[in-house]
């Protein structure tokens, strides 16, 4: 007999886990980085539109399919398929999701490892071990290998413990800590000279940028990545929601938490850049553009911390703890995708499955670390610019066109008295059928025809 499936113990447990998945490096690093390089609030406005109008409906498709099928993506899409063809397409989509998840974890764990090694850099500074601190903050291959391994080991140990005792328990501990650290850091940064210039740059839109098609593509990619869509993570988390849970309100809560934390993280990072400017740190490149990519977190912020004296070491420690917590609740949600598939479809125990898959993905990360210049950016774009939107599109097509309409509506009604009188009921089923796939396709095709 197959082992019983895991389940979240409460609504709050699900929200912690799903928000833990959603809130990650994408919110605290990716989003502010995009804002900084794409015209401040102009990007923010387009991002909000993409998140609510495209990503949220796509999230609901994953949650509803997942809870209905109570299975991993490959199985779940098979369950709702209505013909041999759609069954085959479902299996292919499920595997595409799982593969995309493995690719995402392979690069995400490397960046997460850098965050963790910077915690040790700050601690070494505190005890006066400057040499060690320099090594922890260096960009050597050895450091990346070591800390990617450490991060993977942490991820594996949580996933091994299962849905309730691993994912839910740890997210319920780590997410509140993350919020407290984020709030303290913002309050602190706001007291520093220059912060208000950053707030202005963040909140005053440069509308000359709003018409660029690239902006829409970036904003959609960012919204999908941030809500952990298009790989099956949310489908699987949905499959662990008990039938009493109201999917509409749970999905809405997760979306609001995710978007709010991205917005709030912008209030930390962008003002911090302007404080750095005020302290004499270079924040513009030779062309006058803001230093955004890797240098934002690993050059501008460390220089800012260094310019702040003793307080800077504490700020640096808090910041990298924040990043590491955010990353850990996300990496576990990505590893759960291939693990859920393997335990359910191949009757392998959770522990061996987690260890074997975790080590295999670590080996993939090793290949990326050794061939960083050639492979890293490539894998990021294959996974996030192609894999996620296409799998996300297929999930919407399955929810809108293939899932039997009565079954779909019944799933929405579970745990939701009076669902049929709500706005979601009236709008979403047709919206996810026509508008979302069309919007994804249009935005996506601009890549090729723009
Ligand atoms: N959403 C997370 C972030 O913003 C990353 C993440 C977790 C993710 N699970 C995912 C991204 C699944 C894509 C797919 O950092």
């Amino acid at each position: 007999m197959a082992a019983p499936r895991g389940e979240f113990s409460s609504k709050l447990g699900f929200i912690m886990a799903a928000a833990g998945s959603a809130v990650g490096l994408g919110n605290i690093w990716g989003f502010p980085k995009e804002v900084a390089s794409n015209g401040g609030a102009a990007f923010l406005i387009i991002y909000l539109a993409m998140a609510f109008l495209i990503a949220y409906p796509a999230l609901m498709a994953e949650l509803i399919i997942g809870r209905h099928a109570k299975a991993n993506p490959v199985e779940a899409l098979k369950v709702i398929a209505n013909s041999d063809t759609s069954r085959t397409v479902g299996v292919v989509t499920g595997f595409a999701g799982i593969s995309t998840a493995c690719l995402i974890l392979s690069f995400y764990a490397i960046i997460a490892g850098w965050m963790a090694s910077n915690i040790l850099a700050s601690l070494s500074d505190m005890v006066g071990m400057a040499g060690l601190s320099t090594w922890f903050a260096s960009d050597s291959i050895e450091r990346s290998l070591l800390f990617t391994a450490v991060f993977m080991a942490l991820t594996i140990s949580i996933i091994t413990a299962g849905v309730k005792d691993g994912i839910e328990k740890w997210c319920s501990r780590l997410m509140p800590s993350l919020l407290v650290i984020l709030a303290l850091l913002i309050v602190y940064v706001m007291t520093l000279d220059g912060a208000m210039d950053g707030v202005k740059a963040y909140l005053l839109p440069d509308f000359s940028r709003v018409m660029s098609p690239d902006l829409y593509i970036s904003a959609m990619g960012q919204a999908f990545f941030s809500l952990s869509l298009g790989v099956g993570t949310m489908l699987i988390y949905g499959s662990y929601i008990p039938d009493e849970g109201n999917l509409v309100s749970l999905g809405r809560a997760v979306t609001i938490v995710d978007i709010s934390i991205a917005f709030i993280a912008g209030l930390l990072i962008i003002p911090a850049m302007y404080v750095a400017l005020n302290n004499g740190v270079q924040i513009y490149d030779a062309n006058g553009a803001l230093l955004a990519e890797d240098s934002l977190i690993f050059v501008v912020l460390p220089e800012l911390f260094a310019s702040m004296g003793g307080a800077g070491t504490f700020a640096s420690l808090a910041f990298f703890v924040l990043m590491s917590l955010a990353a850990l609740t996300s990496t576990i949600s990505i590893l759960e995708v291939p693990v859920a598939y393997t335990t359910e479809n191949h009757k392998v125990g959770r522990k061996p499955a987690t260890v074997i898959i975790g080590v295999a993905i670590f080996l993939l990360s090793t290949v990326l670390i050794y061939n960083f210049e050639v492979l890293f950016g490539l894998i990021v774009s294959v996974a996030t610019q192609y894999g996620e939107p296409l799998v996300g599109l297929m999930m919407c097509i399955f929810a809108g066109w293939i899932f039997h309409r009565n079954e779909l509506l019944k799933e929405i009604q579970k745990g939701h008295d009076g669902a049929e009188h709500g706005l979601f009921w009236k709008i979403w089923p047709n919206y996810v059928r026509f508008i979302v796939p069309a919007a994804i396709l249009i935005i996506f095709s601009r890549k090729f025809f723009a």
Side-chain angles (χ1 to χ4, degrees):
M1 218 189 80
R5 286 195 97 239
E7 210 173 60
F8 293 117
S9 68
S10 66
K11 287 181 201 155
L12 188 65
F14 164 77
I15 293 179
M16 289 291 177
S21 168
V23 174
L25 300 174
N27 301 58
I28 310 182
W29 180 17
F31 175 75
K33 184 182 84 180
E34 296 280 343
V35 170
S37 35
N38 285 310
F43 184 83
L44 174 64
I45 293 167
I46 298 175
Y47 177 75
L48 290 178
M50 291 292 166
F52 282 114
L53 299 178
I54 300 185
Y56 165 67
L59 167 70
M60 292 311 299
E62 289 203 27
L63 293 182
I64 294 171
I65 293 175
R67 196 194 38 202
H68 177 77
K70 299 231 175 1
N72 66 78
V74 173
E75 250 347 86
L77 295 177
K78 259 201 275 182
V79 166
I80 61 170
N82 54 10
S83 65
D84 283 347
T85 316
S86 60
R87 208 160 295 127
T88 311
V89 175
V91 170
V92 171
T93 305
F95 279 119
I98 295 174
S99 317
T100 306
C102 295
L103 291 182
I104 292 180
L105 187 52
S106 74
F107 72 76
Y108 202 92
I110 299 175
I111 307 179
W114 295 341
M115 302 296 171
S117 76
N118 273 287
I119 296 181
L120 293 186
S122 313
L123 288 173
S124 316
D125 266 339
M126 282 180 184
V127 295
M129 298 174 78
L132 203 54
S133 169
T134 310
W135 188 79
F136 284 132
S138 72
D139 51 12
S140 68
I141 287 193
E142 294 74 22
R143 176 197 73 144
S144 292
L145 286 176
L146 177 64
F147 283 93
T148 306
V150 167
F151 219 91
M152 271 303 212
L154 284 172
T155 306
I156 289 172
S157 64
I158 295 178
I159 287 301
T160 306
V163 179
K164 206 176 293 175
D165 299 328
I167 300 174
E168 179 175 340
K169 183 163 112 188
W170 280 97
C171 289
S172 303
R173 289 177 180 170
L174 301 180
M175 287 305 284
S177 325
L178 177 149
L179 286 180
V180 171
I181 301 175
L182 181 61
L184 289 176
L185 276 169
I186 291 180
V187 170
Y188 178 62
V189 166
M190 288 301 170
T191 64
L192 303 174
D193 288 341
M196 282 308 140
D197 295 335
V199 175
K200 278 191 210 127
Y202 182 32
L203 299 180
L204 295 179
D206 168 4
F207 280 114
S208 64
R209 307 286 295 270
V210 175
M211 294 320 290
S212 143
D214 283 350
L215 214 57
Y216 291 79
I217 296 173
S218 315
M220 182 175 75
Q222 177 64 31
F224 266 67
F225 186 81
S226 190
L227 273 173
S228 307
L229 300 177
V231 307
T233 282
M234 288 299 182
L235 188 154
I236 289 175
Y237 276 17
S239 78
Y240 299 145
I241 301 178
D243 282 345
E244 303 77 60
N246 173 341
L247 292 180
V248 176
S249 67
L250 289 174
R252 191 170 49 210
V254 171
T255 308
I256 291 175
V257 171
D258 180 55
I259 293 176
S260 309
I261 294 197
F263 176 75
I264 294 171
L267 283 176
L268 171 66
I269 306 288
I270 314 273
M273 290 183 81
Y274 283 81
V275 174
L277 179 67
N278 189 66
N279 290 8
V281 175
Q282 189 195 344
I283 69 165
Y284 297 102
D285 66 14
N287 302 323
L290 279 172
L291 284 173
E293 299 300 322
D294 305 3
S295 34
L296 169 58
I297 297 281
F298 297 111
V299 179
V300 175
L301 292 186
E303 285 187 17
L304 165 65
F305 298 136
S307 72
M308 286 160 45
T313 321
F314 284 96
S316 166
L317 178 66
F319 178 74
F320 287 111
V321 169
L322 171 76
M323 289 303 227
S324 303
L325 296 184
L328 185 58
T329 53
S330 297
T331 51
I332 58 178
S333 75
I334 313 178
L335 184 58
E336 180 65 13
V337 178
V339 168
Y341 164 75
T342 312
T343 53
E344 286 171 23
N345 283 32
H346 297 285
K347 312 243 174 307
V348 183
R350 180 172 266 273
K351 190 165 180 189
T354 309
V355 173
I356 293 168
I357 297 168
V359 170
I361 295 177
F362 171 69
L363 292 178
L364 190 57
S365 303
T366 307
V367 175
L368 293 191
I369 291 172
Y370 275 105
N371 301 280
F372 197 85
E373 296 298 324
V374 191
L375 286 183
F376 192 84
L378 181 70
I379 297 292
V380 172
S381 66
V382 167
T384 63
Q385 296 179 12
Y386 296 87
E388 286 193 80
L390 290 178
V391 173
L393 169 70
M394 291 310 295
M395 300 271 190
C396 292
I397 292 178
F398 266 82
W401 294 89
I402 294 173
F403 203 160
H404 192 282
R405 187 52 75 104
N406 287 343
E407 301 281 318
L408 173 84
L409 294 177
K410 255 197 259 163
E411 197 55 52
I412 299 174
Q413 278 174 316
K414 273 190 206 154
H416 187 186
D417 288 336
E420 57 284 4
H421 305 301
L423 211 53
F424 185 83
W425 179 276
K426 296 192 181 110
I427 296 176
W428 184 82
N430 282 325
Y431 190 81
V432 79
R433 194 167 187 190
F434 299 104
I435 313 277
V436 182
I440 297 177
L441 279 177
I442 290 171
I443 295 173
F444 193 71
S445 61
R446 303 292 293 250
K447 269 185 125 51
F448 304 101
F449 306 114

